């Protein structure tokens, strides 16, 4: 894949405290993977390079509101997210208690994500972008290629990868700018994702390679 700032954008899924902070509700499951991959640092490096190169940055966040907790069924991790209050907000029109909560961005990302030019999409609700406006926002800006990173590898990142490909985008995944849960019974989500990234994505890059391409 060749990157061009007029047609290529960086898309981040869930760069939020509940995934990436030691205080987040999933740290016991994802922390080892995040630290091994240097995921927090690598996401910041992608943000710096994208901003410096004039590339658009889009965030597909994950928020749950009180009415979402009234769902009557869900998958294994979907139900667990509701049980532990992951990404919880008090309401779609209410930012009370949001700052520094699990749903908020990591503090170190705020200068990049709150600079007035980053596109913060409406929230996705399970794993993929089918329920938010990410695809619309990308198409309205003439974007046809996506550099994809964020959390977590085998859930939201992989689901975004699959849907964006189905929507006709060319997608590169930055494999060390993501991470995933490692569970004694469910398995290693990161290893599972890497297999599918290699089978499915247009390119699988390291952060180093992605940053070099963004720098031109």
């Amino acid at each position: 894949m060749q990157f061009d700032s007029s047609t290529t954008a960086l898309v981040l899924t869930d760069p939020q405290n509940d995934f990436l902070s030691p205080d987040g509700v999933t740290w016991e499951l994802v922390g080892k993977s995040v630290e091994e991959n240097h995921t927090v640092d690598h996401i910041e490096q992608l943000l710096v390079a994208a901003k410096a190169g004039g590339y658009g940055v889009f965030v597909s966040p994950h928020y749950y509101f009180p009415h979402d907790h009234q769902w009557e069924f869900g998958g294994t991790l979907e139900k667990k997210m509701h049980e532990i209050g992951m990404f919880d907000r008090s309401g779609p029109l209410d930012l009370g208690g949001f700052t520094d909560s699990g749903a908020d961005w990591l503090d170190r990302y705020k200068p990049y994500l709150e600079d007035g030019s980053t596109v913060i999409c409406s929230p996705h609700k399970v794993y993929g972008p089918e329920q938010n406006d990410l695809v619309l926002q990308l198409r309205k800006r003439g974007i046809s290629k996506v550099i994809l990173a964020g959390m977590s590898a085998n859930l939201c990142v992989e689901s975004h990868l699959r849907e964006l490909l189905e929507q006709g985008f060319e997608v590169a995944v930055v494999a060390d700018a993501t991470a995933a849960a490692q569970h004694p019974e469910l398995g290693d989500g990161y290893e599972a994702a890497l297999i599918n990234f290699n089978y499915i994505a247009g390119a699988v890059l390291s952060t180093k390679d992605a940053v070099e391409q963004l720098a031109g």
Side-chain angles (χ1 to χ4, degrees):
M1 287 179 61
Q2 299 297 312
F3 300 161
D4 182 299
S5 61
S6 65
T7 59
T8 308
L10 173 65
V11 172
L12 297 177
T13 61
D14 304 353
Q16 294 162 264
N17 286 322
D18 270 343
F19 265 140
L20 295 171
S21 168
D23 296 326
V25 296
T26 66
W27 191 253
E28 183 178 350
L29 289 174
V30 305
K32 181 180 178 183
S33 182
V34 169
E35 290 177 338
E36 287 178 346
N37 287 346
H38 304 285
T39 305
V40 172
D41 290 338
H42 288 157
I43 290 174
E44 184 170 24
Q45 290 167 21
L46 291 173
L47 284 166
V48 170
K51 295 289 183 178
Y55 288 81
V57 176
F58 297 73
V59 177
S60 180
H62 213 147
Y63 300 135
Y64 286 127
F65 307 126
H67 57 251
D68 297 320
H69 287 273
Q70 298 172 23
W71 296 351
E72 296 184 5
F73 61 90
T76 301
L77 268 296
E78 187 183 349
K79 288 188 286 188
K80 175 59 70 174
M81 286 191 287
H82 288 302
E83 289 172 7
I84 64 179
M86 192 174 182
F87 302 132
D88 271 1
R89 282 179 46 184
S90 54
L93 304 178
D94 185 356
L95 286 174
F98 176 75
T99 302
D100 297 327
S101 71
D104 199 2
W105 320 128
L106 241 59
D107 278 343
R108 65 193 288 182
Y109 298 159
K110 289 181 180 180
Y112 312 105
L113 303 185
E114 298 178 358
D115 63 353
S117 62
T118 296
V119 178
I120 308 298
C121 298
S122 56
H124 60 274
K125 286 296 175 178
V126 182
Y127 304 124
E130 291 86 349
Q131 305 305 323
N132 74 356
D133 64 339
L134 174 63
V135 170
L136 173 69
Q137 296 293 348
L138 291 169
R139 292 208 186 282
K140 287 289 191 178
R141 288 163 177 80
I143 300 300
S144 59
K145 298 180 182 181
V146 166
I147 304 162
L148 183 62
M151 292 294 287
S152 69
N154 64 318
L155 299 174
C156 298
V157 175
E158 184 174 327
S159 294
H160 278 67
L161 165 63
R162 290 174 181 274
E163 177 62 15
L164 289 170
L165 290 174
E166 296 284 357
Q167 291 284 346
F169 293 89
E170 193 171 3
V171 185
V173 178
V174 187
D176 59 359
T178 183
Q182 297 169 317
H183 189 278
E185 296 176 1
L186 299 177
D188 189 328
Y190 183 67
E191 290 299 323
L194 284 183
I195 293 170
N196 287 332
F197 291 166
N198 283 310
Y199 270 102
I200 297 170
V204 180
L205 305 174
S206 68
T207 299
K208 180 177 181 292
D209 289 339
V211 166
E212 288 177 355
Q213 290 199 50
L214 287 167

